[in-house]
Structure formats: structure tokens, C-alpha cells
Amino acid sequence: MEANMKGESDNREEHAAVAVRRMWPVAILRAALFLCLWLVLAGANPGDLPAAAAAVAAATWTSMHLLEPSSSRRSPLAIARLAFLFLFHSVVAGVDVAGRALNPRLPLRPGFLNYPTRLSRGVRRNVFTTLTSLLPGTVPAGEADGRIIYHCLDVSLPVAVDLAAEEAALVRALYND
């Protein structure tokens, strides 16, 4: 019995060691990004080196604890497509909103849409609602029964189709599990 318990303990320690080894590259990348941010905001003054080191270490430690590395693989091509799709929808929606504001004869059919997302609650859903909140004409207004409630300027438009395209692009770009 003792040998079996020791074996389970060794197995847990081995898994923990593998997890720590996988976290180092992520921590180093995040530290490099925080250092770049520091350099952009504060400049490259050698006198600031101790403060920069402390800030980068604190930011890296905090980010590793609040946003743990995931097994998701990021796709640069899918991220570029997501950025293009976001830009395209932003321009089209912005022109639509501006047209409606400048031409009072254009119909407004404001209302709410319950969008059934496949994203789990938490970071993934929050990223999606943040992304879609930047598109004119739709604003996330809450959740009910696992669905995101959007306030729309015109519910007769294919808002659900656009949201589904945004969600699919986001999943391909960031959550390719």
C-alpha cells in the first residue's frame, strides 16, 4: 500500500514538473511583452532599470496567476482574418449608423436579440462580448439562460449571422483547442 501511495505521489510531482516547464516559455514571452510596454511608455532610461524590473516581474507574476496559460494554439492567419473581419464589420456598421443618424427617414427597429453562444462563461465569452461591443449597432446588454442579450439598432438586419461569423472567427483565431 505504501509503495502504491508513493507511486501516485511521484506521478503528481512529475505532472507538476511538466506543467512548470510548460509555463516558463509563456512567462518569458509575457515578461518580454511587459518590458516592451514599459519601454514604449517610459522610454529606455538606465536609471529606471530597477523599477522596470520590479514592474515587469510583478506584471508577469500577476498575469500568470490571473490568466493561466491554456492549451489553445493561436493561429496567426486566423488572427489576421479575425482582424480583417472586425475591421470590415466596423466600417460597414459605422457607415450604417452614420447613415441612420444623418437621414431620419431610414428606419430604426431597435430591439433585443438573444444570441446562443457556444463559448463557455468566463474569459472566452468576455472576449467575445468585448469584441462585439466595439461594432456599432450592437451592444451586449446582459445574459439569460446561457445566451447573450444584444441591444440592436435594427433587429431586421442579420445581426445573429454577423455575430455567428465573429464567434467562429474568434474561435479559429484564439481558441483552436
Side-chain angles (χ1 to χ4, degrees):
M1 179 94 162
E2 223 174 278
N4 188 21
M5 292 183 84
K6 183 176 187 220
E8 289 175 10
S9 176
D10 288 345
N11 195 17
R12 276 190 298 238
E13 290 172 9
E14 184 178 317
H15 285 297
V18 168
V20 168
R21 281 194 302 267
R22 287 183 183 162
M23 291 180 78
W24 274 108
V26 174
I28 291 169
L29 175 64
R30 289 183 187 185
L33 293 172
F34 286 128
L35 178 61
C36 289
L37 180 63
W38 176 276
L39 293 173
V40 167
L41 295 176
N45 184 355
D48 291 341
L49 192 58
V56 167
T60 304
W61 182 86
T62 302
S63 78
M64 294 298 287
H65 283 78
L66 294 179
L67 186 59
E68 294 179 2
S70 70
S71 61
S72 298
R73 292 183 316 271
R74 308 304 192 253
S75 167
L77 181 60
I79 290 171
R81 286 182 185 151
L82 175 65
F84 176 76
L85 182 66
F86 175 76
L87 180 63
F88 175 76
H89 281 161
S90 293
V91 170
V92 168
V95 168
D96 180 59
V97 169
R100 290 173 191 278
L102 297 173
N103 186 353
R105 286 179 277 199
L106 283 177
L108 284 179
R109 292 178 195 89
F112 291 93
L113 167 79
N114 289 335
Y115 178 72
T117 181
R118 293 175 292 142
L119 298 171
S120 60
R121 290 185 149 204
V123 173
R124 291 178 181 210
R125 191 175 293 186
N126 290 344
V127 168
F128 176 67
T129 56
T130 300
L131 179 70
T132 57
S133 73
L134 299 174
L135 297 174
T138 60
V139 176
E143 288 188 31
D145 300 324
R147 295 171 177 246
I148 303 171
I149 302 169
Y150 283 90
H151 180 269
C152 306
L153 283 181
D154 192 344
V155 292
S156 67
L157 295 176
V159 176
V161 172
D162 290 343
L163 290 171
E166 292 285 342
E167 181 178 10
L170 178 67
V171 167
R172 279 191 306 274
L174 300 181
Y175 308 124
N176 195 11
D177 295 331

